[in-house]
Structures are given as C-alpha cells and as structure tokens.
Amino acid sequence: MRRYVLRRVAIMPLLLLGIVTMVFAVTRLTPANPLVTIVGERNLGNRVVVDAAKRRWGLDRSVPVQYERYVANLTRGDLGTSFRTRQSVGRDLSDRLPATLELTLAALVFGLVSGVGLGIVAARRRDGWIDHLSRLFALVGSSMPAFWAGLLLLYVFYSRLGWLPGPGRLDPRAVTPLRRTGFYTVDSLLAGDWNTFWASVRHLAMPAFVLGWGITGIVSRLTRASLLDELGADYVRTARAMGISERRVVAGHALPNALLPTITIAGFSFAFLITGAVLVETVFSWNGVGSYAVDAARSLDYPAIMGVSLLGGIAFLLTNLLTDLTYALIDPRIRLS
Amino acid sequence: MTATVDSTVLTPSVVNVESRSEQGSRSRRARLPAYIGLVIVVGWTVVAATVPLWSPNDPLAPVGARLLEPSRAHLLGTDALGRDVFTRVLWGTRTSLPVAFVVIVASVALGSLVGAAAGFFGGWVDAVLMRVVDITMAFPPILLAMAITASLGPGIRNALIGMVLVWWPIYARLLAAQVQSVRRRDHVESAVAIGASRWLVLRRYVLPLSYTPVLVNATMDFGQVVLLTASLSFIGLGARPPSPEWGAMITEGATNFYNWWIAAGPGVAILSVVLGFNFLGDALRDRLDVRD
C-alpha cells in the first residue's frame, strides 16, 4: 500500500508542472491579441498607450521570460492580475469559489442520494416501471445539454408556474448574509436568518437539480447493476436461507459491497460537475468560478483563464488521486497489482 | 491497471451498465434502441446533406413578423429577427454534424499516431507520450477547450481545433493499451520471429485488431462532440450569429426568454443526436463484443 501511495504521490509535482506549462503554452502561443482587452479597441493604434500597457503587463518580454516569471509568481501563490477586473486572480477566484462549491456540493449530494435510492428500487423491482423510468431518466440526463435543461426549467417553474425563484443566488434586492464561509445557506443559518436561508435554498434548487441530474443517472444505473450482481451471490443466498429479513439482506449485506464501484464515480463526477457548472452558472447567473471562466474566455482575459484552468486542473488531479487511493484502501486487489 | 477513471468513461455508455447476469441476454433486448439510434442518425445525416434542395425557407433571411408563435406556416415560430426557427434547426445539422465528424476523425488520427507509437515502441517513448496524454486529460475538457478556443479567437473553426486538442488523448490512451495487449499475441510474435519489419507488423497485424474499441468509443463520442460544440457556441466561443448553429440559437432563445419556441427546437435536436449516437454506439459495442 505504501509503495502504491508513494508512486501516485511522487508523480504529482511532474503533473502539476505539466499543467502549468500547458496552460501557459495555450494562452501565449496563439494569435489572439490580449491588448484589445487591456487598452480597448480604440487605443490599439496609439503607440504610447500600447507600449505602456505592454510594459505594465510584462508583455514586452520574450515568451521564456514570461514563463519563468509566471512560474516564479505561482510558487509565491500569485496568479497574476486579471485584465478585466483589475484585481488579483487569486482574490477573484477565492471570492467566487464558495458559490461554485455550494452549488456543486448540493448537486453532488442530490445526485448521490437520489441515485443510490433510485438504484436500489430499480434493482429490487427489476424490469418494473420504476426501473424503466430510471433508465430513461438517466439516458436523457446524460444526453441533455445542461444549459438547455436549465432554460427549460426556468421557463416552466419560474416564469410560468412561479413556484421557484429566477436566476441568481438570492433576489437582486435581498441583503446577502454576513460572509463567514461564503455559502449563503450556511452563513444565513449562522446569522440566524431563516428567511434568507430558505430563499437561498430555493434559489439552489433548480441549478443543483440540473447539475446533479447526470450524476443521478450514472449512480442509479451503476448501483442497480452492482446490487443485482451482489443479490445473486452465494452469501446473499445464505443470508436469505438463514431467514434474515429482505430489508436487512439488502441494506446490511448486499448494499455495502454494491456501493464499492460507486466510489469511482466521485472522480469523474467532478469533471462532470465542472463542465456542468460552467454552463449552468451561465444560465442561472450564478456568480461562481464557472461564470468567471466564461467571462474570462469571452474577453481574452489571459491571467484569469490561466487561473481558472489551473484551479480546474489541480482540483481534477487531486480528486482523481483521492478516488484511486480510497479505492486502493478498500479493494486490496488494486494496491497489490 | 489502476482504477483511474478518466474521461473515456464520461461517455454516456456508463449509463447503460448492466449487471453480469443481464449481459448475455442483452443482444436481444438491445435491438429496438439500436434501430431508433440508426433512424435518428441517418435521418439527421440525410437532412444535413439535402436540406439546401428542399429547405422550406431561407435560414438567414426574415420570412415573417418577429417572434411569431409556432403555427402551420412556421412550425417552430420565428425568432427575434423574423427568421423561421424550424428552417434554422434543419440547417443547424450542416454545422454540428460536419464539425463533430472532423473532430472525431482528426482526434482518432492524432490519437492513433501517438497511441500506436507509445504502445508499440514502449520504453521511454511510451513514458513521454503517455505523460503528455495524462497532462492533457488532467483538465476538465470544457475548460481546456474554452481556453484554447478563446486564445485562438472565437469562431467555429477554432472551436474545432480546441476540441481536437482536448479529444485526441482519449484515443491515444485507448489505442496504446490495446496495442500493448495485441502485440503479445502469438500471431504477432510469429510475424516478428520470421523477420517482418516493425512497421509491417504494426500496420498489418496489430492495428486492425486494436481498432474495435476505438470505433465504439468514436461512435459514442460523436454525440458528445455535438454537445460540446453547442456548449462552446452557447457561451459565445463557437459559431457566431447569424449562422444557424444549435448552441448559438439557444443563446438567442435565452435572451428572448419568454418566447420558448426559439430554444425548444435546437434543444430537442441536440438531445436527439446525442441519444441517437449513444444508442448506436451501444449496439455496436454489443455487436462487436467489446468488454473492458
């Protein structure tokens, strides 16, 4: 086990440097001109302004020098200054990260809980109508463009029925709770403000559902399949023969084993969530990292694009590592191979 | 092989997991979805190829009043500029399908080259190439595609390049693993033993046997590329107005939020294409009996 962990951890710095290099290469070796964003279209012809801007943002140096500086700054935790917001990218990201975390966590919890639940019911009533319905739900969820699903829900539940609030984390006029964690739900609870808490939960409902839909689909099908495998195993037959109630056979014996493959979901549901967050945040005007990435990409804000890509890459890398290690911890076959 | 879950698994095929006991009986039940998939895919392809010959309206020109509700004359209504939405949805195939096709073919070609080289030569070639693959795949695909497209400048051609650069590592990894296992087989070793050149062995005896999973994955990924193209266009990095592209049309629908019909057509179109290729890929996998 120790050797497996060491091997996995040892290549991390290499992968990290690779990620940094790739992000840098992508944003620097391309023809698009960031100066448009900095000085504006009109000043592009003005030599003095352009030269000053180039000097100020370090764009007058050669690419290797820029790279060296970028990496040196990174090791100090400095992600550079956004062309667009004129704030440090690190600060921008930390401002917006809680919004994204709150949304993705809500989506993940929704996806896992409803997925496992649906999977159990589908396995116990195999080929029943719930089984077929959940298969359809999973298929549509994985094939549906998230941004379109979001629009559709907004149209029905907000504009037509008026059951749920519109885009945003809270109503535009609402007072945001005092920032402690950055999660509106948690912060409003800490402040004892039940109305704001309820409002933030209602605002979360639609985006979290759209984002969690795909996960529900995958988790439910995976849980169903592996639970069916376990229910056919000898130890389950033995347990049944001993007269143990069906509920305990499923919940106590088969389910813990059946949930093992679901762990691998964590790794790729993260990629799924990031992809979704970029689009869902845009549709729901959710002020998180995803919509920040879109704004940055639209306005050629290099430092911001690099910051978001780095954050995404590193988070993805860590999640994958964590998934593999958890899996190795639980399943000895992997760490021994 | 560790339990690394990479984006290869992200294709909707995951949704179609079946328990071991069901896998045998699949082929019989899987026929209906396979036919549905085939009909959808062939249908859209025919539309893409022939729509200029019978197009009900001009996709770029106003044909009536603005923001008309769906009616007999305009099946999906008209958009904010008075263009026929149904016509534009049909013309949308001429962006989405060719783009996805080029992305898949280019990614498979690039990925094959790298994957075959890595799998066949092994050693440090394998190590270096696979690290490049690892690093590329360490990014959430959409972020990398966004960064590349934004840097190259928004537009459908650059979005295409961005998607190829994101997609090729999947095939490289798939093919490398496959080549590695195939080249240990007896017929390859005999070919090497009687002195066949490396290139000949690779081309004649290894690659043909390694391509099955690539084919299946490529079919499933086709729908995913259509989805990503639309996503990039939706956030303004892909196709630009006024071109009739599904993602861009949904953006127009979002700005005219209360006129639901503008976004409805393109949304259903994307959904059907993704489902169609998913069904087809799944059927192909059963048929060719690819198991991980």
Side-chain angles (χ1 to χ4, degrees):
Chain A
M1 181 68 193
R2 181 174 294 164
R3 272 194 55 203
Y4 176 72
V5 174
L6 279 179
R7 207 174 59 217
R8 288 305 309 267
V9 174
I11 57 164
M12 289 297 280
L14 188 74
L15 287 177
L16 278 179
L17 189 68
I19 285 178
V20 171
T21 311
M22 180 158 310
V23 168
F24 183 86
V26 161
T27 45
R28 283 308 143 95
L29 300 173
T30 47
N33 191 348
L35 283 170
V36 183
T37 326
I38 305 172
V39 301
E41 203 104 36
R42 240 180 328 150
N43 279 328
L44 264 188
N46 189 334
R47 255 221 111 90
V48 185
V49 176
V50 168
D51 284 347
K54 271 191 177 170
R55 237 188 337 273
R56 172 150 152 53
W57 298 95
L59 294 169
D60 54 341
R61 306 301 177 106
S62 67
V63 171
V65 174
Q66 288 182 26
Y67 175 70
E68 200 187 302
R69 269 203 196 169
Y70 185 69
V71 175
N73 285 340
L74 271 184
T75 53
R76 286 196 300 271
D78 180 2
L79 287 168
T81 309
S82 157
F83 292 160
R84 196 171 46 88
T85 65
R86 310 272 155 151
Q87 278 203 75
S88 99
V89 172
R91 174 115 202 229
D92 277 348
L93 288 178
S94 64
D95 276 352
R96 283 154 164 269
L97 196 56
T100 299
L101 284 181
E102 187 173 35
L103 175 61
T104 43
L105 278 178
L108 192 61
V109 170
F110 165 74
L112 288 178
V113 171
S114 62
V116 170
L118 213 57
I120 294 173
V121 177
R124 302 228 12 225
R125 306 242 184 288
R126 178 172 155 189
D127 290 329
W129 63 272
I130 293 187
D131 189 15
H132 290 310
L133 212 64
S134 82
R135 180 178 289 130
L136 188 72
F137 185 76
L139 258 177
V140 173
S142 68
S143 310
M144 185 105 134
F147 50 98
W148 185 62
L151 274 178
L152 215 63
L153 288 183
L154 271 175
Y155 182 76
V156 173
F157 292 101
Y158 164 60
S159 119
R160 272 287 138 121
L161 299 171
W163 290 354
L164 287 167
R169 296 179 72 191
L170 282 174
D171 290 326
R173 278 159 300 163
V175 184
T176 54
L178 181 69
R179 182 175 173 131
R180 289 201 180 100
T181 59
F183 284 34
Y184 283 1
T185 45
V186 178
D187 286 351
S188 58
L189 274 186
L190 288 175
D193 183 351
W194 286 98
N195 288 332
T196 309
F197 172 73
W198 183 232
S200 60
V201 169
R202 280 164 51 89
H203 275 87
L204 257 175
M206 274 196 283
F209 172 81
V210 174
L211 203 50
W213 188 345
I215 295 176
T216 307
I218 295 167
V219 171
S220 66
R221 298 322 290 171
L222 206 59
T223 305
R224 171 189 175 277
S226 59
L227 188 58
L228 279 177
D229 285 340
E230 296 302 329
L231 286 176
D234 288 346
Y235 72 92
V236 168
R237 204 182 49 195
T238 311
R240 280 183 178 145
M242 285 165 67
I244 296 172
S245 72
E246 185 64 19
R247 175 179 291 262
R248 275 195 55 197
V249 169
V250 172
H253 295 255
L255 194 59
N257 288 327
L259 285 183
L260 201 68
T262 314
I263 293 170
T264 43
I265 295 287
F268 76 73
S269 49
F270 180 77
F272 204 92
L273 286 170
I274 289 285
T275 308
V278 168
L279 301 165
V280 171
E281 283 185 8
T282 307
V283 173
F284 287 92
S285 313
W286 200 263
N287 214 3
V289 177
S291 52
Y292 183 72
V294 171
D295 289 341
R298 277 177 182 158
S299 55
L300 301 185
D301 187 350
Y302 283 176
I305 297 175
M306 292 168 84
V308 177
S309 307
L310 272 181
L311 184 71
I314 291 169
F316 200 14
L317 208 61
L318 290 179
T319 333
N320 278 342
L321 179 72
L322 220 63
T323 311
D324 288 353
L325 293 185
T326 317
Y327 211 82
L329 201 68
I330 298 173
D331 190 343
R333 278 170 304 183
I334 288 162
R335 59 174 185 258
L336 292 178
S337 70
Chain B
M1 180 67 194
T2 58
T4 317
V5 178
D6 50 50
S7 18
T8 330
V9 199
L10 258 180
T11 51
S13 57
V14 183
V15 172
N16 306 333
V17 279
E18 306 261 322
S19 72
R20 256 169 264 144
S21 57
E22 285 169 323
Q23 280 166 5
S25 64
R26 266 191 75 100
S27 48
R28 226 171 340 107
R29 289 191 299 115
R31 266 195 201 141
L32 183 64
Y35 285 131
I36 296 176
L38 197 67
V39 168
I40 293 176
V41 169
V42 171
W44 280 123
T45 312
V46 169
V47 169
T50 62
V51 71
L53 302 175
W54 52 270
S55 174
N57 288 295
D58 184 338
L60 298 177
V63 293
R66 302 167 54 239
L67 301 174
L68 284 178
E69 282 201 29
S71 63
R72 188 80 53 85
H74 302 289
L75 289 176
L76 290 171
T78 60
D79 65 11
L81 297 174
R83 297 170 300 196
D84 183 55
V85 176
F86 181 64
T87 308
R88 286 172 66 75
V89 169
L90 293 179
W91 281 76
T93 51
R94 291 173 70 85
T95 306
S96 297
L97 295 185
V99 165
F101 184 77
V102 173
V103 169
I104 293 289
V105 169
S107 306
V108 169
L110 193 59
S112 303
L113 215 62
V114 175
F120 197 73
F121 293 111
W124 68 268
V125 179
D126 179 42
V128 170
L129 290 177
M130 284 302 119
R131 284 304 84 73
V132 175
V133 167
D134 284 347
I135 290 165
T136 316
M137 289 180 74
F139 291 97
I142 196 167
L143 277 186
L144 194 58
M146 275 169 67
I148 296 173
T149 313
S151 306
L152 290 173
I156 195 75
R157 196 180 50 114
N158 291 340
L160 191 151
I161 297 173
M163 285 188 281
V164 172
L165 291 179
V166 170
W167 231 281
W168 70 268
I170 297 177
Y171 300 116
R173 187 177 277 181
L174 204 62
L175 204 68
Q178 201 65 22
V179 166
Q180 238 159 24
S181 83
V182 172
R183 80 174 177 155
R184 287 200 200 94
R185 292 203 197 157
D186 291 343
H187 77 281
V188 177
E189 293 195 341
S190 350
V192 173
I194 59 172
S197 75
R198 277 188 156 186
W199 172 239
L200 182 77
V201 171
L202 184 63
R203 198 169 45 101
R204 170 100 37 101
Y205 302 112
V206 178
L207 283 185
L209 284 174
S210 311
Y211 260 109
T212 321
V214 173
L215 183 71
V216 171
N217 254 54
T219 310
M220 298 218 174
D221 285 352
F222 206 103
Q224 295 301 303
V225 176
V226 169
L227 202 56
L228 188 58
T229 311
S231 305
L232 288 174
S233 297
F234 174 72
I235 56 184
L237 292 174
R240 320 288 316 223
S243 72
E245 197 277 341
W246 293 336
M249 288 174 71
I250 294 178
T251 313
E252 290 163 28
T255 45
N256 297 285
F257 181 67
Y258 295 96
N259 311 102
W260 58 268
W261 56 88
I262 300 177
V268 173
I270 299 172
L271 182 62
S272 71
V273 170
V274 180
L275 274 178
F277 277 102
N278 184 21
F279 284 153
L280 208 59
D282 213 35
L284 212 56
R285 186 183 55 185
D286 286 346
R287 198 62 184 275
L288 301 172
D289 196 29
V290 182
R291 288 273 159 247
D292 304 316

